[in-house]
Amino acid sequence: DDKFLTFGTDDDYVMYYDEAGADSLILSANVEGAAFKYEWRSDEGDDALDKWEWEIANQGVMTLSNFADGDYGDAFATFTPNAVALKQTASFGGSMTVASNLTVSGDLTVNGTTTTVSTTNMVVEDQLIELNNGQSGTPSGDIGFVFERGDSANQVFVWDESADKFTMGSAAATG
């Protein structure tokens, strides 16, 4: 109990079981200002994809990186402590899939060129939906809704800029 396994010339890295305090296995870097790095290697670590690194830097920023590009420069996930509340901010460099429900309690900002919502029913609480947000100057195209109907002709409800009026009807247009 409370035995230490130390590494480095000045006990720079320590691993021990803290039964009296946290009742947990603790790995730590005992060099002031140094990041703690933990590296995983599988399959002999001879391929770039076989190596991962978890780094806890100053101020508690944690980064998970893969060695795929020949170094640990590209972060797979970064967790940054929030100084205002006891919550975390996470950044992911690749795609992410949530296999169950996801609830966002704050605002949701999506940056990209396409947002796809695949759902059976969508409920919108707001009374107004704004299209073409941020338009400045003369609009360059029609604004409205396209109803895709499979093998049947698509239907549209749009503001037709060239006719300066609303138009409804069949169209070959898609979203």
Side-chain angles (χ1 to χ4, degrees):
D1 294 332
D2 294 330
K3 302 287 192 267
F4 290 78
L5 180 60
T6 58
F7 303 92
T9 56
D10 295 320
D11 297 341
D12 297 334
Y13 292 92
V14 175
M15 179 172 69
Y16 69 98
Y17 176 70
D18 183 14
E19 182 179 36
D23 196 27
S24 56
L25 181 65
I26 297 176
L27 306 170
S28 66
N30 291 326
V31 179
E32 185 64 35
F36 177 80
K37 295 182 181 182
Y38 186 79
E39 185 177 288
W40 290 275
R41 294 182 181 190
S42 65
D43 185 33
E44 300 179 5
D46 55 351
D47 300 313
L49 296 175
D50 294 343
K51 295 188 242 182
W52 287 83
E53 179 183 79
W54 185 257
E55 176 182 339
I56 304 172
N58 295 334
Q59 308 302 313
V61 176
M62 296 186 292
T63 305
L64 178 64
S65 303
N66 181 255
F67 200 76
D69 294 329
D71 61 29
Y72 290 113
D74 293 330
F76 180 78
T78 302
F79 301 90
T80 306
N82 183 335
V84 178
L86 297 176
K87 297 180 181 175
Q88 302 291 321
T89 299
S91 300
F92 298 92
S95 298
M96 186 171 92
T97 300
V98 177
S100 190
N101 297 332
L102 173 67
T103 300
V104 178
S105 297
D107 294 338
L108 173 65
T109 301
V110 178
N111 296 319
T113 57
T114 302
T115 301
T116 302
V117 178
S118 298
T119 184
T120 303
N121 295 301
M122 187 166 94
V123 177
V124 178
E125 184 178 305
D126 293 339
Q127 294 172 314
L128 298 172
I129 297 173
E130 181 178 353
L131 302 178
N132 210 26
N133 177 276
Q135 172 67 47
S136 62
T138 305
S140 59
D142 299 340
I143 304 168
F145 295 96
V146 176
F147 304 91
E148 291 197 23
R149 301 181 62 235
D151 292 337
S152 300
N154 289 349
Q155 300 296 309
V156 297
F157 176 66
V158 298
W159 176 259
D160 187 335
E161 284 295 337
S162 61
D164 202 28
K165 65 179 181 179
F166 280 103
T167 301
M168 292 190 295
S170 297
T174 63

